[in-house]
Amino acid sequence: MGSPFWQSAKLLLNYRRQLALAGLGLVVTIITFGSGLSLILPMLQMILREQKTLPQIIETYITNPERSQWVRDLGQNLLAVVPSDRFTGFVFIMVVILLLNAIGGVARFVHEYLTITVASRATMVWRDKIYAHLVQVPALLPSQQGYADMISRLVNDTRILADGLQMLMGRALTEICKMVVALIIAWIIDWRIAAMATIGVPVMFGLFRRFGRKIQRASRAAMSERGRMTGAVNEVLSGLSVVKAHNAEGYERRRFRRLAKSLFGEEMRMRAVKAYSSPVVEFLTIFGMVALASTAAWMIIHGRVDVERFIAVLAMLGFAASGVKPVSNLNSTLHESAAAAERLSEMLDLPIEETLEDRRSRRFVTLPAHSQSIVFDGAGYKYQGQDRLAVADANLHVRFGQTIAIVGANGSGKSTLLNLLPRLTEPTTGRVFIDGIDISEVSLRSLRKQIAVVTQQTILFNSTIADNIAYGRRYESMDKIRAAAEAAFAHEFIDALPRGYKTMLGEDGSGLSGGQRQRLCIARAILRDPAILILDEATSQIDAESEGKINRALRKFRHGRTTFIIAHRLSTVVDADMIVVMDNGRIIDRGKHNELMERCPIYQMLTQTQLRASVA
């Protein structure tokens, strides 16, 4: 019961009322089914050798001294209503069986509908639980683990888990119960024949277990390959313009075909086990029935078993055998769902930044409003799987209200250094202080509430322009949203759109130019009114004219807050309070523009190439 699948099945207990009603439907279904089966023996007695009438059968049954009084009373009441004619009695039994079947059908619908509902709701809760966990994992973890595989687990694996939960409570459970009822009736009619039939049950369960393990391993491999395929499709569709520009359609088709073949192979392994497990089980079932019939025939010939009893028991065992295939399907589905549950459980084992219990505990304090300084004290960071530090021994003291420009070649560690400030990454070495407080000891909510980040990569969501500007601050008034857009020089193009601020944006802001998307991101930062502003090449996709306007707006906006700018243009660098030069993950110099031009060769080179070339 400790496996991930059975742990996930515990969610079903949250819907006890629906489960109780579903259980009632199952009980009614089984009672009507068992009652219908119990009428087979008297029906056979009426039409075969004994040729008894229905009242005669009932009277013979209730006169047995072993019958209880309430059974006798019930029999006497039945004698008053059942027909005495043999044919009419046979029709009467058929009508009763038909009515029982109708009642059982309604009960079965109630049972299956409620089990589908409960399984779907439990899966929805499971999905929500995993997603809530995912949004709390460290920022770099999804790229390390693989976005597509995470999406595949969240969408596809939860569906497979839902199939298992539904089958566990639904039709398969009904068939198993029917199988058990049929076996019980068979034992009641003639225990000797029934006992011979149950000899092979342990063998069946042994086969189910062996097949199930193979299906679980193959299913897990297929799910992994499905995640890889999802990743490949996502890469191509998101970068389709690059694919076409490089005439790489043929390469991508071949790459997809290889992934599709790999997935096909894993799925065929899983389906092959399913395919041959069912015939093997069915063959053994038929073999057992043949052996049983042969033995029973010998007993009939030698007068040890009545023909009616033999046919009735054989019918019961036939009904029981019809449940073998659903049990086999249940076994396959449960093991496939177990593989999905294992993969989903791994998602919940991923490390997260901060739990609700952490926020409520005294371990983390609330960071007061930033007003003094920011200090990097020997801070360093090493990416997972890398041998050397991406940022090493960074020492930097910044006073409140200063604007700091950080320059350096690509890969010099600029973005990695600034990622330490909002704790998107935790320092591998050293510490970071805000107003003398180690930020590792403050709550993430209170820290990030004071920070706004605008990156070179524009992140917009499938929602309205107003919602994108007010992201994370959904209760802001339209006046403030409009003021932020005006400050970012975005209001003019927004107002020209047919629906203005209510315009729905497509995925990644499709329909807008790169500069327009960037200005919306800057408007979002302005609306946040942070104490600390981080601009990571934030104007890289904006034309020179728009950049001039935005720089004037940002100069005004930077007043009274600490600003870090990863610079790519000389115009951004020259008016900074301090310019920090990085190379190979280290801070090699700092100072004003003129000072660095005199003494720092790397800064001189950057000015002549990267920075000045950007202006041109």
Side-chain angles (χ1 to χ4, degrees), residues 542-561:
I542 297 176
D543 58 85
E545 181 181 357
S546 297
E547 184 190 20
K549 294 178 181 178
I550 290 176
N551 279 338
R552 288 196 297 272
L554 288 177
R555 287 191 192 101
K556 182 179 179 181
F557 181 64
R558 284 176 349 215
H559 181 70
R561 67 193 84 238

Side-chain angles (χ1 to χ4, degrees), residues 221-273:
M223 291 176 201
S224 179
E225 290 299 321
R226 199 173 292 123
R228 290 181 60 198
M229 178 184 286
T230 303
V233 174
N234 182 64
E235 286 176 353
V236 171
L237 293 181
S238 60
L240 194 57
S241 58
V242 176
V243 173
K244 291 181 176 296
H246 289 79
N247 293 320
E249 293 93 338
Y251 166 77
E252 291 299 341
R253 283 197 304 270
R254 291 188 296 273
R255 183 164 75 109
F256 181 82
R257 194 175 295 118
R258 287 194 299 271
L259 291 171
K261 285 183 177 180
S262 180
L263 174 60
F264 174 77
E266 296 297 345
E267 288 182 335
M268 284 305 298
R269 270 187 278 275
M270 177 179 65
R271 289 169 182 168
V273 179

Side-chain angles (χ1 to χ4, degrees), residues 370-371 399-404 450 525-526 529-533 535 550-565 575 577:
H370 169 50
S371 61
R399 296 193 305 274
F400 172 73
Q402 280 190 316
T403 296
I404 308 300
Q450 301 190 47
I526 291 174
D529 191 24
I532 302 168
L533 177 64
L535 303 172
I550 290 176
N551 279 338
R552 288 196 297 272
L554 288 177
R555 287 191 192 101
K556 182 179 179 181
F557 181 64
R558 284 176 349 215
H559 181 70
R561 67 193 84 238
T562 305
T563 306
F564 293 87
I565 304 173
D575 64 346
D577 297 308

